[in-house]
Amino acid sequence: MPPPYRKACVHCVRSKRRCDLSLPRCFRCRVRALECLYQNNPSIIFSNQLADPGIGAEQGSSLDSGHQAESSDFSVPPFPDYDLDWQEVMENIEFFSVPDQLAPNASPSQSVLAGEIYQERIIYAVKRLRDLPKVFATHGQTSFIHRSLYDNRIPVMIQDAMGVCALYQAKNETTQAMIHQIITQKVHSLLVNHKQPGLSALDQLASVQSLALFQIICLFDGDIRMRADAERIEPTFLDWITQLRLRVQGLDTDCEILCPSSDGNNGQWQSWIFAESVRRTVIIGFTIQGLYCFLKNGWDNSHHEFESLSFFAQKVLWAAHSEYQWRSALITHSPLPLRFSMWDTDITAASPLDIDDLSMLMMVLIKGVDQCSFWVGNENWMSS
């Protein structure tokens, strides 16, 4: 029990955060490398020189396993230590304040240190995700759904997702309750149909893509009921992503198909679209979960999943909508394979004009907004 004269330290008072009253420094001051001054005892001051080396230094991305925060021997206060008005957060995402605590996870190696370094990248990523339902309703394609994949047959789950995304864009105060009910019914139908035996690989992919769009709408809308619905099916969504991950094809296999001199046919193009769609859908799925967990709790529970993932970043390949366009792109452009485990090496082959939206989203999460601005050569690139 701390002595009665010691109250919250100066920094915790200013931040309006709970102070754990630890000595020589409280938890928040230690992880932020701040002086810890207890107002009623001015002699208790511990300067930055007493901090552990590296504490408070810039951490890597929550998606970069090489920059994970290490476990500490100091106690962690009860978790979480902040309350969010979810609707207010989603309506004012630009002003969201990233929590600044080290949150426990099932494994210390899977926890990350939250703080201001993640502020801009998290806000950017959430805004990009929230745009995806509108992009799909407008163009029939997103950074993880390729419309040419469904040229021969549009699965019913993709049809439902298109309808829901279009309805969601027209939502207003009068219709929001009805649209919420429609989304709930469509999600229920999707979950039931996914249990049907003999589900094809294409239908399995379509199911995960549709549920990803539903999760984006429900988690990041701001409506508490929709968020609760999404949280209830979160384990199912993660299970579907894990199942789909078993179908992920390595880049080496596709590099043979992507060789411009290969004698191929339309089947090779369709095979590549399917394989790349699987890779991108898995990446988006884990990104949705990681961002939501970070916003809600202050730590990312999915960053460790990216180490073995990869995709092709060349935007003209993903934008191709015919065999001719695809093969022409292979002749004039590098496919730009990107492996998360070798990101710094692989990205050197790309220029900002080469990469697509998914690549830039991952770049921001991994390297941060400032480094992306330097790479692009335009500090206003996000608004352009």
Side-chain angles (χ1 to χ4, degrees):
M1 176 70 66
Y5 62 84
R6 193 169 80 247
K7 297 182 180 180
C9 76
V10 172
H11 285 293
C12 288
V13 170
R14 288 175 181 172
S15 302
K16 297 182 180 179
R17 295 295 184 93
R18 183 179 61 230
C19 182
D20 66 0
L21 307 180
S22 297
L23 291 175
R25 289 189 299 171
C26 76
F27 173 83
R28 294 187 68 254
C29 287
R30 179 164 183 174
V31 298
R32 294 172 70 85
L34 298 173
E35 292 182 347
C36 191
L37 170 62
Y38 290 97
Q39 203 164 22
N40 289 341
N41 193 346
S43 63
I44 307 180
I45 301 177
F46 297 89
S47 65
N48 292 343
Q49 284 73 26
L50 295 178
D52 291 340
I55 293 291
E58 176 168 312
Q59 305 293 318
S61 164
S62 61
L63 297 177
D64 185 354
S65 62
H67 295 80
Q68 297 169 359
E70 297 181 357
S71 59
S72 305
D73 57 359
F74 53 88
S75 61
V76 176
F79 165 76
D81 74 343
Y82 65 104
D83 296 316
L84 292 179
D85 182 330
W86 195 251
Q87 186 165 356
E88 182 179 355
V89 168
M90 290 298 104
E91 291 176 354
N92 301 279
I93 187 64
E94 293 86 354
F95 304 104
F96 173 70
S97 178
V98 172
D100 53 2
Q101 64 172 9
L102 181 65
N105 200 335
S107 167
S109 65
Q110 295 179 5
S111 296
V112 296
L113 185 64
E116 292 179 359
I117 180 177
Y118 298 121
Q119 189 85 21
E120 288 185 308
R121 65 182 77 178
I122 295 299
I123 292 172
Y124 173 86
V126 171
K127 291 170 71 175
R128 295 289 78 77
L129 285 184
R130 286 169 53 171
D131 285 342
L132 289 178
K134 180 179 180 179
V135 171
F136 185 59
T138 305
H139 302 287
Q141 177 159 326
T142 70
S143 55
F144 69 104
I145 301 175
H146 199 294
R147 67 172 179 261
S148 295
L149 187 63
Y150 304 115
D151 279 347
N152 295 327
R153 178 179 67 87
I154 303 178
V156 64
M157 53 283 286
I158 292 294
Q159 297 179 39
D160 287 345
M162 172 66 78
V164 165
C165 289
L167 277 175
Y168 183 69
Q169 302 313 309
K171 184 190 71 167
N172 55 44
E173 290 185 3
T174 304
T175 62
Q176 62 182 2
M178 180 182 295
I179 291 175
H180 175 214
Q181 185 176 0
I182 292 173
I183 293 175
T184 301
Q185 292 174 352
K186 292 300 183 183
V187 170
H188 176 73
S189 297
L190 178 62
L191 297 177
V192 171
N193 292 334
H194 193 78
K195 297 178 182 179
Q196 300 298 323
L199 198 68
S200 69
L202 188 65
D203 286 339
Q204 181 187 10
L205 172 60
S207 296
V208 181
Q209 291 176 335
S210 300
L211 191 55
L213 289 170
F214 292 150
Q215 288 293 91
I216 290 171
I217 290 173
C218 294
L219 288 175
F220 303 118
D221 172 82
D223 184 273
I224 300 300
R225 295 169 302 168
M226 295 177 69
R227 173 189 169 193
D229 289 345
E231 286 189 337
R232 277 193 292 270
I233 63 174
E234 185 176 22
T236 299
F237 183 48
L238 286 173
D239 182 56
W240 287 15
I241 297 171
T242 302
Q243 292 179 23
L244 185 64
R245 188 175 188 171
L246 299 177
R247 295 184 179 274
V248 169
Q249 185 169 294
L251 295 184
D252 292 341
T253 302
D254 270 359
C255 279
E256 298 178 4
I257 297 177
L258 294 175
C259 177
S261 61
S262 64
D263 296 327
N265 49 46
N266 193 63
Q268 286 187 329
W269 178 50
Q270 290 293 329
S271 296
W272 181 82
I273 292 175
F274 177 80
E276 183 68 3
S277 297
V278 169
R279 285 188 285 262
R280 287 167 172 256
T281 301
V282 171
I283 290 169
I284 285 291
F286 284 128
T287 301
I288 293 169
Q289 294 307 113
L291 286 175
Y292 176 68
C293 184
F294 199 107
L295 283 168
K296 180 183 176 184
N297 301 322
W299 49 274
D300 170 4
N301 64 348
S302 297
H303 70 281
H304 55 283
E305 302 287 356
F306 287 79
E307 184 71 14
S308 62
L309 300 180
S310 55
F311 68 106
F312 289 96
Q314 180 55 252
K315 66 180 180 182
V316 294
L317 285 183
W318 185 248
H321 291 290
S322 70
E323 170 80 5
Y324 175 78
Q325 290 179 4
W326 186 68
R327 292 201 172 277
S328 297
L330 287 176
I331 295 173
T332 57
H333 296 80
S334 165
L336 300 178
L338 285 182
R339 298 160 293 178
F340 284 93
S341 61
M342 299 289 291
W343 186 275
D344 288 342
T345 300
D346 291 348
I347 199 65
T348 58
S351 76
L353 296 177
D354 291 327
I355 66 175
D356 72 335
D357 292 342
L358 178 63
S359 311
M360 186 56 75
L361 173 60
M362 295 299 108
M363 185 77 169
V364 169
L365 286 172
I366 292 171
K367 308 304 292 185
V369 172
D370 287 343
Q371 287 199 39
C372 286
S373 298
F374 179 79
W375 188 58
V376 172
N378 178 8
E379 64 179 357
N380 298 316
W381 63 273
M382 289 192 296
S383 58
S384 61

